[in-house]
Amino acid sequence: MSRADRVRAELLSPEELNARLATHSIAYLPLGTLEFHGPHLPIGLDALTAHGVCVAAALRSGGIVLPAVYQGFGGGHGHYPWTIMMAGGEGIRDHLHTTLTRLEEFGVKTAVIFSGHFAPEQLDMIDQVAAAWNDREAGILTVAATAVNRCPTAPLPPDHAGEFETTLLAGIAPELVHLERLPSSHTHPALDPEDDPYGLHRHEREHPLWGVFGPDPRDANLGSGPALLGHMGEWLAEQAVTAA
């Protein structure tokens, strides 16, 4: 078992889980969705990056990482191919509440809800879940909620299928990034946002960067992926320790 696998809850026995939590009582709950991210990235990207950042954080803070939830809602990509978006947040909210209830019964002291899908509706939902949980009069579990777009010191600005998300996934699973599937920059050069009639929001199927919201991923330095992942993991670990 690799060092990273030792924080993944689904791979651990009850004895191993209890041993990790006895030292650092933190559980990370990654959320994502199934959503189109252009031809160069997998549809599970939001959950994959959320889980990867949580693992990087747990390796620093201690604790465990639960499996990612591949459900999300909100945003402007519901009509895209292979996007399976929930109509609302009730099911995800119920899932989180049940998970938090059980974690508290297991004696966990801190839970961090971390979303790789950062549509405003999803962010409002996780914030509300955390606030309602922490407003209870009794209980040993404290909940923090944040998302991949909330790191104020990230080396790249958050985006959708652009340079940031492409580079971050390259730091987690580089074999899943396929820039060669995008149109060649020689035949379809990037345009300055002021000259691009689609701007940075490319909803038209005819656009060479259809579905990409943000800087051109063809310019991404994939070799910087591990450094970006490390930065994000360190930031999230600090959030968890602060909440503890």
Side-chain angles (χ1 to χ4, degrees):
M1 181 179 289
S2 70
R3 181 167 173 261
D5 285 349
R6 293 190 180 100
V7 306
R8 294 177 54 182
E10 74 273 25
L11 303 180
L12 304 179
S13 68
E15 181 180 0
E16 292 167 329
L17 289 165
N18 291 335
R20 286 200 61 84
L21 292 169
T23 304
H24 298 94
S25 190
I26 301 171
Y28 291 89
L29 284 63
L31 301 179
T33 189
L34 295 174
E35 183 178 24
F36 181 85
H37 281 81
H40 61 301
L41 297 172
I43 63 170
L45 179 134
D46 289 344
L48 292 168
T49 53
H51 187 267
V53 172
C54 286
V55 168
L59 289 173
R60 290 163 170 79
S61 68
I64 61 172
V65 180
L66 271 65
V69 175
Y70 285 81
Q71 291 185 358
F73 75 110
H77 292 78
H79 64 287
Y80 276 74
W82 288 103
T83 294
I84 304 175
M85 203 74 71
M86 302 299 105
E90 294 79 9
I92 306 169
R93 189 189 302 268
D94 290 345
H95 172 88
L96 288 171
H97 190 271
T98 298
T99 301
L100 295 172
T101 299
R102 292 297 284 157
L103 288 175
E104 187 168 63
E105 291 171 355
F106 300 149
V108 177
K109 302 292 181 60
T110 303
V112 180
I113 301 170
F114 185 68
S115 185
H117 178 64
F118 51 91
E121 300 92 332
Q122 178 123 332
L123 298 185
D124 288 345
M125 183 270 295
I126 63 172
D127 289 341
Q128 291 165 9
V129 167
W133 186 273
N134 294 332
D135 281 345
R136 300 174 307 150
E137 294 183 358
I140 65 169
L141 178 67
T142 299
V143 178
T146 191
V148 72
N149 68 319
R150 288 179 170 176
C151 177
T153 60
L156 296 171
D159 59 33
H160 182 274
E163 185 180 12
F164 172 78
E165 287 197 325
T166 299
T167 304
L168 183 57
L169 186 62
I172 298 166
E175 71 277 7
L176 299 181
V177 177
H178 295 280
L179 292 180
E180 75 279 2
R181 295 176 183 172
L182 290 168
S184 168
S185 58
H186 296 292
T187 57
H188 296 85
L191 295 173
D192 185 281
E194 294 183 359
D195 299 325
D196 189 341
Y198 300 94
L200 292 180
H201 298 268
R202 307 170 178 103
H203 275 301
E204 300 299 325
R205 184 184 289 265
E206 295 76 18
H207 196 286
L209 296 180
W210 177 44
V212 174
F213 285 54
D216 192 334
R218 295 174 297 183
D219 296 330
N221 174 12
L222 301 187
S224 66
L228 178 58
L229 174 62
H231 186 98
M232 298 296 294
E234 182 175 359
W235 162 74
L236 185 59
E238 290 173 357
Q239 305 304 301
V241 172
T242 300

